[in-house]
Amino acid sequence: MSSSSVLFDAPGPRAVVRNRVFAVLGALAIVALITVSVVRLSDKGHLAPEMWDIFNYSGIRENIADGLVATLKVFGLAAVGSLALGVLLAVARLSDHRPVRLLATGFIELFRSIPLLITIYAVWVGLLIDHSMWALAIGLSLYNGCVQAEVLRAGVNAVPKGQREAAYALGMSKTQVMTTVLLPQAVRAMLPTIISQLVVTLKDTSLGYIILYPELLNSVRLISATTLVNGQYPYVSTIVVAGTIYVAMCLALSALATWIEKRGRRAKSGIGIAPAAEPAAAAAVLGGEAASGAVLAHEDTPGTAADGTGRGPAKD
Amino acid sequence: MNVLLDHFSDFRDGFLGTVSITAVSSVIALVLGLVVAGFRVSPVPPLRWFGTAWVTLLRNTPLTLLFLVTTFVVPEILFPGMSAFVLGSLALGFYTSSFICEAVRSGINTVPLGQAEAARSLGMSFTQTLRMIVLPQATRTVLPPLSSILIALTKNSAIAGAFSVTELFGWQKVMSEEGYSIVPVFFWVAVAYLIVTFTISGVFRVLERRLEVAR
């Protein structure tokens, strides 16, 4: 259902004319905005050919490639770290032992509600001042691990009850039930959400810029601060190039999440698959308390608004 | 403990800085997000395309990069010498507006179809339908995600500290550079952020209760 088509009638002759007028006006306004920006920038020489010519030099290309590799390296570390921590915390939070459960809950709530940058900076200054890569990877793992834990927990809770009961009836131990029955199904159901959170992790690697880790953004910034073209620094061209690379990487990962979601919906395994939105509709992405918010709302009151928006684990 | 007592006025300035940049960029994000959400469901194709491009672009750009854009590119387009606070609020507001747009749009989608149909059959126009029928009902479902988006905005405002806006991350940085142990500094900054985020979630809980209706 897309209510966008419900909000207005199929246009009649007068509405067609009116919509065309609005379309032209809107398009003109947008084009005018873009033109003004481009003209202002090129007036100041930011769009001169020489500014873009710098990317033909092998030194600068190598710098960008090195930055990209550094970004991907820390992303890989953070992805592995956050998923491992996520599984650990999710299992701990679902544990039968009260102290373990409380500890995991406290840990998750603490690190999820503190800004990621504050955590990364504290890890960097406090523990690993000479190893900014590890500081960044650990900070990212701590924060994203907590979010992934909530996602996985929601996934485990969404596995039909019969699965767990059947596994216990077969005489499996608690560990066996969790590792061979519940978690695989939870991961399968939540895979799109997990990947969407990985996109967020990828975006957040750019925080390395602030702790002086030489990732993509930092190396691009360095290029723009040290290369003098026509008596000016090539901020605009380098930022455009870096932005394009980031957007392309994030879109590729999101496309993977969407593809898995579509594939999962086709499968007849009986496991519902979560939408490829970031946890709790973009909210926990940025980090809010949403993951548990919407997910909990979903668990407590199936059929309420939280359900209808298509957020949270799909159960049906 | 010592860090806080020795530098309380700086800490207070940082706290007020965080609160004010959060407030200003929330307003920017809410207004822009609402407008772009309206664009995305409107009957005018170019506006819909603009909305989609806006959301896709901003959601997939790292916030740090947006801060670089506002610091180095925006002053060139508008006028040089804009304050770091204004530029920081612009970056945060623009970034968050894309998330708010998506939240509002999915809120619009949860309003029962019959409502919009009834409004249309009464002869209401697109703007009337949206303003008087759909959006007021969407508010209820939009509030919970909105609360988490604003909390996330508060946390993201820490990045502004790295771009010379006076706020809590700046305080943490200065204190650790002055040689204070990072643990108490981290603790007090965390407490300050918790105060802000708890206030936001509290306000939204009150709002949700106010707007609650039996359905």
Side-chain angles (χ1 to χ4, degrees):
Chain A
M1 170 203 79
S2 88
S3 76
S4 54
S5 51
V6 185
L7 291 172
F8 45 84
D9 285 299
R14 274 171 67 193
V16 164
V17 172
R18 201 179 53 221
N19 283 352
R20 284 217 182 110
V21 170
F22 277 130
V24 170
L25 286 182
L28 278 182
I30 295 164
V31 169
L33 260 178
I34 296 172
T35 319
V36 166
S37 315
V38 169
V39 167
R40 292 278 291 175
L41 285 179
S42 67
D43 274 355
K44 299 192 177 168
H46 287 297
L47 301 178
E50 293 84 3
M51 288 289 186
W52 302 91
D53 192 43
I54 58 171
F55 298 107
N56 283 328
Y57 294 106
S58 62
I60 284 179
R61 283 191 179 176
E62 257 164 45
N63 283 347
I64 292 181
D66 288 348
L68 190 58
V69 168
T71 292
L72 289 177
K73 205 154 70 178
V74 85
F75 169 64
L77 286 173
V80 172
S82 66
L83 288 175
L85 187 68
V87 170
L88 202 70
L89 283 174
V91 172
R93 203 170 173 177
L94 289 164
S95 158
D96 285 339
H97 307 287
R98 207 176 139 78
V100 177
R101 218 163 46 218
L102 283 180
L103 214 64
T105 311
F107 188 88
I108 291 174
E109 292 304 329
L110 177 71
F111 280 102
R112 248 188 16 179
S113 43
I114 294 171
L116 178 53
L117 181 57
I118 303 284
T119 311
I120 291 176
Y121 192 83
V123 172
W124 183 52
V125 171
L127 301 173
L128 298 158
I129 190 81
D130 296 324
H131 308 275
S132 52
M133 181 178 81
W134 289 103
L136 184 59
I138 290 175
L140 283 170
S141 304
L142 277 177
Y143 176 79
N144 290 292
C146 293
V147 180
Q148 301 281 20
E150 289 300 276
V151 172
L152 280 174
R153 191 171 66 98
V156 168
N157 283 334
V159 173
K161 222 162 63 188
Q163 297 280 334
R164 182 197 306 251
E165 286 163 0
Y168 279 126
L170 287 175
M172 286 180 162
S173 70
K174 272 195 293 194
T175 322
Q176 278 178 320
V177 173
M178 187 53 90
T179 53
T180 63
V181 178
L182 295 181
L183 272 183
Q185 298 192 61
V187 169
R188 193 194 156 120
M190 300 310 279
L191 204 52
T193 318
I194 291 173
I195 294 177
S196 300
Q197 184 59 31
L198 286 181
V199 175
V200 178
T201 313
L202 178 59
K203 281 199 302 181
D204 284 343
T205 56
S206 66
L207 291 175
Y209 171 76
I210 292 158
I211 62 163
L212 309 178
Y213 174 63
E215 43 75 65
L216 182 56
L217 208 55
N218 208 349
S219 48
V220 156
R221 176 81 183 80
L222 215 61
I223 292 170
S224 68
T226 50
T227 326
L228 203 58
V229 185
N230 291 348
Q232 263 187 327
Y233 295 106
Y235 292 126
V236 177
S237 54
T238 47
I239 284 178
V240 167
V241 168
T244 315
I245 296 176
Y246 271 115
V247 171
M249 287 196 295
C250 294
L251 282 181
L253 253 183
S254 317
L256 178 68
T258 318
W259 179 70
I260 290 179
E261 184 201 343
K262 286 211 180 102
R263 199 170 145 271
R265 239 190 275 130
R266 266 206 321 269
K268 293 194 184 87
S269 60
I271 304 173
I273 195 142
E278 292 94 352
V285 188
L286 306 130
E289 291 168 6
S292 71
V295 166
L296 284 180
H298 186 93
E299 286 161 10
D300 297 343
T301 52
T304 55
D307 222 351
T309 53
R311 281 188 294 272
K315 275 184 186 169
D316 351 294
Chain B
M1 200 50 158
N2 253 342
V3 194
L4 189 69
L5 292 179
D6 291 354
H7 297 273
F8 188 74
S9 66
D10 293 339
F11 182 77
R12 190 194 53 210
D13 289 347
F15 182 75
L16 293 179
T18 294
V19 171
S20 48
I21 197 169
T22 304
V24 172
S25 43
S26 304
V27 172
I28 297 177
L30 283 172
V31 172
L32 269 178
L34 209 58
V35 170
V36 177
F39 281 3
R40 287 205 72 176
V41 295
S42 80
V44 184
L47 294 184
R48 276 207 302 269
W49 299 331
F50 174 75
T52 315
W54 178 271
V55 170
T56 315
L57 207 61
L58 284 177
R59 268 173 68 146
N60 287 298
T61 314
L63 184 54
T64 325
L65 185 78
L66 276 184
F67 269 100
L68 281 180
V69 171
T70 51
T71 315
F72 293 111
V73 181
V74 170
E76 295 287 295
I77 295 176
L78 298 174
F79 37 88
M82 294 165 80
S83 77
F85 181 83
V86 174
L87 294 173
S89 337
L90 279 182
L92 267 176
F94 276 42
Y95 181 74
T96 313
S97 76
S98 65
F99 293 92
I100 289 188
C101 167
E102 284 307 89
V104 171
R105 205 170 62 104
S106 66
I108 289 176
N109 280 331
T110 60
V111 176
L113 280 178
Q115 297 287 328
E117 280 169 357
R120 268 170 48 206
S121 57
L122 286 176
M124 286 184 169
S125 70
F126 168 70
T127 28
Q128 279 174 327
T129 312
L130 207 58
R131 189 167 50 87
M132 307 199 314
I133 307 295
V134 175
L135 278 183
Q137 297 187 63
T139 316
R140 241 168 267 133
T141 34
V142 171
L143 275 183
L146 208 58
S147 149
S148 13
I149 290 174
L150 289 188
I151 287 172
L153 167 72
T154 314
K155 293 194 287 170
N156 283 331
S157 75
I159 299 176
F163 290 84
S164 53
V165 176
T166 314
E167 52 79 77
L168 284 165
F169 173 67
W171 186 77
Q172 183 188 20
K173 219 171 144 184
V174 171
M175 287 306 109
S176 75
E177 274 158 14
E178 279 189 14
Y180 284 98
S181 161
I182 191 71
V183 178
V185 176
F186 176 74
F187 176 77
W188 289 116
V189 171
V191 168
Y193 274 106
L194 285 181
I195 292 174
V196 181
T197 50
F198 273 127
T199 314
I200 293 178
S201 62
V203 167
F204 270 89
R205 211 161 296 147
V206 171
L207 272 178
E208 275 168 47
R209 211 168 298 140
R210 280 279 182 84
L211 292 176
E212 217 168 32
V213 286
R215 281 209 263 204

